[in-house]
Amino acid sequence: MQSLTQSPTDPAFVQDPYPFYERARALGALFFWEDYGFACSPDHALVNRLLRDRRLGREVPPEKVVPPPDHLRRFYALERHSLLEIEPPDHTRLRSLVMRAFTSRAIAALAPVIDEMAHALIDAFPRGEPFDLLTAFCEPIPVRTICRLLGVPEEMAPRLLAWSHAMVAMYQAGRTRAREEAAEAAARDFAAFVRDLVAERRRRPTDDLIGRLVIAESAGRQLTTDELVTTVILLLNAGHEATVHAFGNGIRALIEHGFWSASTFAGEGASERAVEEILRFDPPLHLFTRHVYEPIEIEGHRFMRGDVIGLLLAAAGRDPAVWEAPARFDPARTVTPHLAFGAGIHFCIGAPLARLELARALPILQRCCPRLVLAERPRYAMRYHFRGLERLMVCCG
Ligand code: HEM
């Protein structure tokens, strides 16, 4: 297997990782990424296959688990029960409980709520002066929608954002002690807040997602309180972090590539097609890893239990074997399934919700602000694998 060196904190790479993915693709379906110290795949077919292969998984094999340092005790206590850190049978049990709340009916019922939110936010835009669309539109919609679904007061949104940002910063390359301490403090405060919410729901049952999980927790020993707290935090964090940047990256692409027009969203299925193209072309999450559970041969290379393999979802979305001219952004493209939401048993639970938010809010924004222009060249925030703009300064005209 051939090796490549590329620092994930190199500013030029963070602004545009796609040329690196093409260099990697030229080496075949697998390459060794020196800086991470594991094999990676940019190949759509292989990434898709490995995401579904049960000989690999997200849970760290027990013999590889390192006890967390004391200053990160609370953070890892939460992580331990996260759907994203476990495999069956616990994963199946927890995921099926959450899935009950993500029925297509429950998600579809949020459409008018999202429409109303989008209009209210647009009405509050400053007219005639540049402003940051990320904080004025892209961020509030996913945060408030997930609060609504879970049954968390929307006034909590700013604190949820702060806790969430501090916690997800742990997944970025180049961790510092200060970042770790901020994540630990956020985990402590966030967990205390959710525990209070849970106690409140026990006293006064509600029909929101937290209410229903509390019933499952107290009635049938279906999940423990720790699992409940972690699941609520995961949903609140995952429920907005990626969608905010799908909005930002998408609006940027639509404007820069000349598709900010009514025709982009006109006609049956046009908005949904545009959303899929946004997620294929410049998704917010680029790299996920899997642990190998048993000896396995992949593309002629032998992997042993405990090895790690990186799956480059964003590179897979640019695979010329699947898409014609993949570097071209074309919102009218015929939809071919991309991997921006993953695949297999960890496939994104929130995919229908994220799709609905984008497909409802983007056309409303375009209709209300048809002359939206960029007020400056947007820059991506300095973090790799959570790919999103640091701000999106626009003028509404
Ligand atoms: C555009 C927005 C989003 C993107 C691109 C995205 C992407 C992903 C991806 C790639 C995974 C799988 C990770 C893996 O296989 O290792 C995932 C899992 C997950 N996502 Fe999302 N997500 C988005 C929005 C959401 C929303 C809105 C929610 C919550 C309502 C959510 C909740 C979750 C959860 C709970 C998991 C873990 C599922 C499991 O492990 O079984 N996501 N997401």
Side-chain angles (χ1 to χ4, degrees), residues 51 58 83-84 91 95 102 146 149 234-235 238-240 242-243 246 279 284-285 288-290 313 339-343 345-351 353-354 357-358:
L51 282 168
R58 290 200 50 118
L83 274 176
L84 278 167
H91 178 266
R95 183 165 168 124
F102 277 78
I146 194 69
L149 187 67
L234 171 66
L235 289 171
H240 67 86
T243 316
L279 292 166
L285 298 167
F288 282 96
T289 53
R290 288 293 184 269
L313 308 184
L339 297 171
F341 289 117
I345 64 167
H346 290 282
F347 179 79
C348 178
I349 284 182
L353 178 60
E357 288 172 14
L358 290 156

Side-chain angles (χ1 to χ4, degrees), residues 18 34 39 48 107 114 151 160 172 182-183 196 199 211 237 239 244 257 285 291 300 309 327 330 332 356 359 383 385:
Y18 295 100
E34 290 284 350
N48 191 22
I107 301 302
I114 296 165
L160 297 177
Q172 286 166 32
D196 286 349
N237 288 355
V244 172
H257 295 263
L285 298 167
H291 299 275
I309 301 185
D330 176 4
L356 182 75
R383 47 165 193 241
H385 99 272

